[in-house]
Amino acid sequence: MAAAADTPRESVVEVVGTVKKSAKAQRGVELWPDTFTVISRAEQPLPLGVVDKVGAELDTRFDHRPLDLRKPEVRAIFELRAALLDGLRAAVRSREFLEVETPKLLRQGAEGGSTLFSVNYFDRTAFLAQSPQLYKQMLIGAGFERVFEIAPAFRAEPSDTVRHLTEFTSFDAEVGYLADGEELRALLEGIVHDAIVHARDRLRAVGHPIAERLTEPKLPFPRITFTEAEQLLGRPGAGRDFGTEEEKRIGEIVVPRDGNPFYFLTEFPTAVKQSTFYARRMDSDPSRTEYFDLALEGLELASGGPREHRLERLLANMAAAGLDPADFAGYLEPFHFGMPPHGGWGFGVERLVQKLAGVPNIRETRLFPRDRWRLDP
Ligand code: AMO
């Protein structure tokens, strides 16, 4: 079959023939062809080897992403991702959360001005949503008791790190008639547990090798207060947020100590959450909030907590954050007309996939990643 020998790698071909048992063949069968037709001939040379063992630089791989995605080990990341997303949805649905979709073109941001992307919106400026924050709270005010959303979020992250993207998928949840932060943590750890078990079982059922990377998380996840974490770092009372290196260091200390790769950091100080105006300050100690992070081996996966549902205090928090309530009239309206205590979290899907797939760079967990430098393909 001379035509086959002349056909370059990666071409799409149609072969009609007979399948015969063979002791020599890797899969135990061979195809004896009668006809061989080239349907789409691959140009040579390939910009990126698909079956070669030699790895290409990340940039080259992303420049030629469709070819890169043909590699089974690259595709496996997306099979894992899909199984995890399926698991997250199943876990929240079984807890009676309603799936919602909120606008991504906004007049106001919620997570601070520095990471907002602006868009020309006819004769005005609009912003790409950094988070569904304001809308998920408004939906609680609208009478939905439990909502969730899995949708794109946009952050103008100028820094080049292996844990930040400019476009990521945020898994957000909001719970009405909330008792306290502990109720949220218990929900979140249960959901993470169930989603991973769901993904593992589903991938195992189809014999996917990546299933073996997934182990059942041990519940409950340890809770470590911000103050305790500061002591572990040897900087007690510094009262500023943890940097990337400090986050990693906390993981290096508490993961072996507590025997669990997952853990919560709780009671973030108000000073750290000043711009997070919607985070509820503790009634017993207003210098602390009830806010928490969920981390996996030194990487923040999620942050959340109870919200301030009392209008006067919310307005005071906005004033302290330098925000003008007039810019947030739509958000504030339900707070005037009966708002239950509520709270929720935002969870970065790529960060979970990054950790569970064991890839060093978060960009590898998106089909077509976006960062400061990349808008193509
Ligand atoms: P926060 O800003 O901490 O909280 O974001 C929540 C989670 O989203 C993920 N994340 C990112 N992932 C990749 N690239 C980025 N640039 C990026 N930025 C954030 C992280 C992070 O833990 N409104 C609040 C949530 C809430 O209170 O409900 C918020 O957005 O995994």
Side-chain angles (χ1 to χ4, degrees):
M1 193 114 328
D6 292 342
T7 307
R9 274 184 173 173
E10 296 305 310
S11 299
V12 175
V13 300
E14 180 190 73
V15 185
V16 178
T18 313
V19 176
K20 294 181 180 167
K21 274 200 178 136
S22 156
K24 281 182 291 171
Q26 212 178 19
R27 296 191 186 168
V29 287
E30 272 176 354
L31 178 64
W32 288 68
D34 296 325
T35 65
F36 180 94
T37 317
V38 178
I39 292 176
S40 172
R41 193 179 176 83
E43 290 173 22
Q44 296 294 301
L46 294 169
L48 184 78
V50 174
V51 289
D52 321 30
K53 290 279 171 270
V54 193
E57 293 290 324
L58 265 190
D59 264 332
T60 312
R61 290 179 46 201
F62 293 143
D63 285 343
H64 307 284
R65 192 62 160 160
L67 282 176
D68 185 48
L69 290 167
R70 288 184 189 175
K71 297 176 197 157
E73 68 277 16
V74 178
R75 194 159 49 231
I77 299 168
F78 297 93
E79 285 152 352
L80 170 65
R81 183 182 163 114
L84 284 168
L85 283 170
D86 226 42
L88 288 173
R89 282 206 165 83
V92 273
R93 285 204 183 111
S94 73
R95 290 166 172 83
E96 296 183 13
F97 282 77
L98 181 76
E99 181 158 13
V100 297
E101 288 154 290
T102 62
K104 302 303 155 207
L105 282 168
L106 309 181
R107 206 176 54 75
Q108 274 299 334
E111 308 302 324
S114 67
T115 63
L116 276 172
F117 278 116
S118 54
V119 180
N120 286 332
Y121 195 74
F122 306 105
D123 53 350
R124 289 187 282 174
T125 299
F127 300 101
L128 294 180
Q130 300 154 305
S131 150
Q133 183 62 38
L134 305 185
Y135 289 91
K136 54 185 185 169
Q137 291 192 256
M138 287 157 79
L139 290 175
I140 298 298
F144 294 87
E145 272 189 37
R146 289 181 165 196
V147 294
F148 81 96
E149 177 167 16
I150 297 179
F154 304 92
R155 305 260 172 123
E157 297 281 359
S159 50
D160 240 331
T161 82
V162 295
R163 44 178 72 192
H164 289 96
L165 294 155
T166 50
E167 180 182 34
F168 67 98
T169 298
S170 187
F171 160 45
D172 277 88
E174 202 70 26
V175 177
Y177 297 94
L178 183 78
D180 53 21
E182 193 45 42
E183 184 183 341
L184 284 176
R185 287 188 285 276
L187 270 170
L188 180 53
E189 68 186 353
I191 289 165
V192 169
H193 168 275
D194 292 2
I196 292 174
V197 169
H198 175 106
R200 184 198 62 188
D201 292 350
R202 217 185 99 168
L203 292 164
R204 214 176 244 170
V206 294
H208 202 302
I210 206 162
E212 300 324 311
R213 292 193 60 89
L214 306 178
T215 48
E216 181 173 354
K218 209 160 65 176
L219 293 177
F221 301 159
R223 275 78 165 145
I224 298 146
T225 64
F226 189 94
T227 310
E228 187 192 339
E230 283 194 310
Q231 279 157 359
L232 292 174
L233 290 174
R235 44 155 263 200
R240 53 175 166 76
D241 205 358
F242 303 123
T244 304
E245 288 312 311
E246 288 172 327
E247 279 180 17
K248 281 193 204 155
R249 183 80 197 110
I250 295 168
E252 284 161 8
I253 299 170
V254 303
V255 170
R257 185 193 74 177
D258 300 338
N260 199 324
F262 290 96
Y263 52 94
F264 286 106
L265 293 171
T266 65
E267 298 183 14
F268 272 67
T270 302
V272 172
K273 293 288 173 193
Q274 203 73 59
S275 63
T276 313
F277 61 89
Y278 48 81
R280 188 162 84 200
R281 282 63 170 142
M282 284 189 185
D283 285 344
S284 58
D285 175 5
S287 74
R288 283 182 301 157
T289 73
E290 297 177 55
Y291 247 59
F292 62 83
D293 277 358
L294 169 66
L296 171 55
E297 287 170 338
L299 181 67
E300 176 194 321
L301 295 181
S303 69
R307 320 297 187 192
E308 184 50 77
H309 67 284
R310 297 158 294 188
L311 182 60
E312 270 174 33
R313 293 186 191 212
L314 185 58
L315 293 174
N317 291 354
M318 288 179 117
L323 298 171
D324 181 357
D327 290 334
F328 292 82
Y331 164 69
L332 290 170
E333 192 186 72
F335 291 83
H336 286 274
F337 299 108
M339 179 61 110
H342 62 284
W345 64 76
F347 182 111
V349 169
E350 284 79 9
R351 295 206 176 164
L352 181 65
V353 178
Q354 181 185 359
K355 275 287 179 191
L356 297 182
V359 289
N361 194 315
I362 195 167
R363 290 165 180 74
E364 293 196 60
T365 68
R366 285 199 67 96
L367 291 169
F368 299 99
R370 292 287 178 262
D371 62 28
R372 179 175 185 172
W373 310 111
R374 182 170 292 280
L375 268 175
D376 269 316

